[in-house]
Amino acid sequence: MAPTHPRPPASILLLGAAMLSMAGLATAINSSGFKGGVTVYWGRNKDEGSLAEACDTGRYTIVIISFLDIFGHGEYHLDISGHDTSTLGPDIKHCQSVALVYLSIGGFGNRYSLPTNQSALDLADHLWYTYMAGHKAGVHRPFGDDVEIDGIDFFIEHGSPDNYDVLANRLWSFNKGFRARTPAQLSATPRCRYPDRLLGKAIATGVIGRINVRFYDDSYCAAHWRQEWDKWAATYPTQDYQLYVALPASEKVVGYVHLKSLHLGMLPVLQKAESFAGFTIWDRYSDRLTNYSSPIVQWT
Ligand SMILES: *[C@@H]1O[C@H](CO)[C@@H](O)[C@H](O)[C@H]1NC(C)=O
Ligand SMILES: *[C@@H]1O[C@H](CO)[C@@H](O)[C@H](O)[C@H]1NC(C)=O
Ligand SMILES: *[C@@H]1O[C@H](CO)[C@@H](O)[C@H](O)[C@H]1NC(C)=O
């Protein structure tokens, strides 16, 4: 059932790997391409420290700024929990010497949806010109004119599944014309049940190369991780896609896996899949308190 797609995301990942290699990020890659690593969500708690501090730990290969929490109805809003947006630009650039920086759309609020094709196209344009490599006179860029994030993450918890596929295809189309790099990379963070009700259609476009499968905040997913993981791994068996296992760094969150169980119980199962690329940690605030991801860096 693996979707066929004319432009395998592997090609993006190899390009990404080449870029990272130039930046000296030896741990993230090997001869077979981008090896994955640890992704972290940043922006959900003012007390999590700066984005630069997160990157300076050297633990993360992708940091996801979260969330663009309002879109689809002519209004766009970025919620980063009271962090100062004006200082984020230099931090993003600092991070980009060791990691990729994505922006996540959606989250736990209910003020987003894409009611029409046009609203999806408009959101794609908004993201491209406001935060990414698109530049257009008169468009305000909150992170700075010369700061370009690397990708967009789809974190859709509520509403209708409509038009996220249109959004994905439109964002992907911006890569045309860039030979040496892929300025619009895409990831999705669905809940564990395959296929995801809200993101299934978007993922089926084949242009979303990274999938963070969420095994937290959901007691079904915590209990049935093996069964659901097997479905993802069977659907995306090769390195054309990168599957990340999304887990919480805090014991207080449903789905927390003790490091010992993760290492001895879960990891051997995950590593059987060629597409297994690493872990996605929720979130930087918790990880900073617990250092949960510290040993995990060695396991991807
Ligand atoms: C590169 O990584 C892949 C996937 O993790 C692994 O199967 C392969 O053995 C690694 N190759 C080298 C040369 O380390
Ligand atoms: C919406 O987009 C789809 C796919 O691009 C297209 O087939 C359809 O005709 C569009 N609908 C409208 C109303 O523009
Ligand atoms: C986590 O790591 C930081 C930096 O290495 C250290 O200062 C802190 O004490 C550690 N915290 C825990 C709970 O291990």
Side-chain angles (χ1 to χ4, degrees), residues 30 69 76 103 148 235 283:
N30 69 16
D69 68 333
Y76 302 102
L103 173 65
E148 299 174 357
T235 310
D283 60 354

Side-chain angles (χ1 to χ4, degrees), residues 29-36 239 273-274 276-277 300:
I29 52 169
N30 69 16
S31 51
S32 55
F34 192 92
K35 194 173 167 288
Q239 290 183 352
E274 214 182 287
F276 170 64
T300 61

Side-chain angles (χ1 to χ4, degrees), residues 116-118 121 163 165-166 169:
T116 60
N117 271 15
Q118 192 58 46
L121 303 177
N163 297 316
D165 54 338
V166 177
N169 281 324

